[in-house]
Amino acid sequence: MTILHTPQEVREALKGHSNIGFVPTMGALHQGHLSLIQKARAQNDIVVVSIFVNPTQFLEGEDFDKYPKKLEADIKICKVANVDYIFVPNISDMYTTLDEVLIKAPKVKGYILEGHFRPGHFDGVLQIVLKLFNIVKPQRAYFGKKDAQQLYLIKQMVKDLFLDIEIVACDIVRDKNGLALSSRNSYLSAQEIQQALSISKALKLALQLSTTIKDVNKIKEEMLKVLQIDVQYIAFVDEEFNPLDTVQHKTTVLIAGYVGTTRLIDNMTIN
Ligand code: AMP
């Protein structure tokens, strides 16, 4: 496994390869990331993992400065998972000018739900993902369903900008109690973990109720009774991320909110 630091190093290392699987991450790797890496390993000759805490997707006052950093441990995880290359750039390698060409997330789908509470977040996500795609030039890129709106928007970017990359969606990995794994879970106290567990409980409840109740507002009411977090939104969306009032086939139920000062998101899909 080789650690690469600059876009030029990546280009040189990957020259001539045409079966590259790419897993972009912000590091502090856990089993969720590992599941993406394993899928990439199974489907490609070369696996590239990037570790970059991207400043442009954090809003003023968010946790950019304190975002968990565990590079040593991340390197070990990648080595064990048989990753070929880790790309760990500096901010100045990825952003070379202050006045650069920008990518805008779509005005509607990029500014509802996560985009409503984190306006501009997806502009930054799409900007960095496009840069990384252009550096690594993967045939396939792996993203978790945990960040469902991000996954949707990346698929849309690939389509809208005619990128020749297959986006592979990977299932959410949870701990044995149902908590969706997240690098941000390391911020939680033991008591907050208990409160955070109410998120997956509320989602499971929504899935159960949806077999008999189709009215989204009625299901939301029941979810709010079990949620022990400071809810920002509960939303039901179709596969195109259109908000729904009535449950239909393949509806995704999303929750976002705060447990103490930690913001968590999760979702489940009704099949
Ligand atoms: P992050 O490092 O949080 O930016 O995440 C990098 C990638 O891992 C994204 O595509 C996430 O959706 C994915 N991911 C994060 N947590 C999980 C999880 N619990 N299960 C599956 N994928 C995940």
Side-chain angles (χ1 to χ4, degrees):
M1 189 176 76
T2 309
I3 301 173
L4 306 166
H5 293 283
T6 67
Q8 291 82 345
E9 282 174 9
V10 177
R11 290 234 160 112
E12 273 160 36
L14 297 177
K15 213 182 279 168
H17 288 290
S18 58
N19 190 358
I20 300 170
F22 178 43
V23 183
T25 81
M26 298 206 297
L29 302 181
H30 50 63
Q31 290 291 328
H33 299 111
L34 190 57
S35 71
L36 272 56
I37 294 170
Q38 285 165 341
K39 203 163 192 180
R41 183 68 282 167
Q43 297 180 343
N44 301 276
D45 292 342
I46 300 285
V47 174
V48 182
V49 173
S50 66
I51 297 178
F52 182 64
V53 183
N54 173 40
T56 66
Q57 71 189 68
F58 288 79
L59 274 67
E60 202 68 37
E62 289 189 342
D63 58 345
F64 173 68
D65 290 327
K66 67 164 188 165
Y67 195 83
K69 287 175 192 65
K70 299 183 179 170
L71 189 56
E72 290 296 301
D74 292 348
I75 290 169
K76 277 187 198 148
I77 290 170
C78 288
K79 214 175 216 168
V80 172
N82 220 359
V83 167
D84 296 294
Y85 297 101
I86 310 186
F87 177 38
V88 193
N90 289 316
I91 292 175
S92 58
D93 293 314
M94 297 306 292
Y95 295 99
T96 55
T97 170
L98 287 176
D99 187 24
E100 67 170 36
V101 173
L102 298 172
I103 299 287
K104 292 293 287 174
K107 288 197 179 92
V108 177
K109 307 262 171 77
Y111 286 85
I112 56 171
L113 308 172
E114 283 305 283
H116 174 77
F117 288 96
R118 306 182 72 189
H121 165 68
F122 288 122
D123 295 2
V125 168
L126 297 180
Q127 182 184 26
I128 193 63
V129 169
L130 184 57
K131 281 174 188 258
L132 289 166
F133 281 177
N134 283 329
I135 295 166
V136 176
K137 298 196 189 74
Q139 277 60 51
R140 289 172 209 86
Y142 296 78
F143 291 88
K145 293 181 189 171
K146 162 92 174 16
D147 300 279
Q149 194 174 1
Q150 167 177 286
L151 172 63
Y152 173 78
L153 291 171
I154 287 167
K155 280 186 180 162
Q156 192 183 339
M157 175 173 77
V158 164
K159 197 162 145 247
D160 290 352
L161 300 184
F162 302 97
L163 305 181
D164 194 10
I165 299 174
E166 181 190 343
I167 301 301
V168 183
C170 303
D171 288 339
I172 300 176
V173 177
R174 300 174 179 282
D175 75 6
K176 62 180 191 317
N177 299 314
L179 180 65
L181 298 188
S182 163
S183 304
R184 290 191 168 98
N185 290 351
S186 64
Y187 299 148
L188 302 173
S189 68
Q191 196 204 334
E192 287 174 337
I193 288 173
Q194 291 309 311
Q195 293 168 337
L197 285 174
S198 71
I199 301 173
S200 56
K201 282 188 190 135
L203 290 169
K204 274 188 213 146
L205 176 67
L207 262 56
Q208 282 162 13
L209 293 176
S210 69
T211 58
T212 50
I213 306 173
K214 301 295 168 193
D215 181 340
V216 159
N217 284 327
K218 288 202 175 117
I219 301 175
K220 277 189 196 173
E221 263 174 45
E222 297 306 313
M223 292 171 77
L224 284 168
K225 287 180 194 164
V226 302
L227 279 166
Q228 295 173 40
I229 69 164
D230 186 2
V231 175
Q232 278 191 325
Y233 64 80
I234 299 173
F236 289 60
V237 300
D238 67 12
E239 285 181 285
E240 299 298 313
F241 253 84
N242 297 302
L244 299 169
D245 293 326
T246 310
V247 173
Q248 58 188 47
H249 182 58
K250 291 207 170 156
T251 293
T252 297
V253 190
L254 306 121
I255 297 179
Y258 280 92
V259 180
T261 55
T262 304
R263 189 171 184 281
L264 298 176
I265 59 170
D266 196 358
N267 68 85
M268 288 186 193
T269 297
I270 298 164
N271 283 307

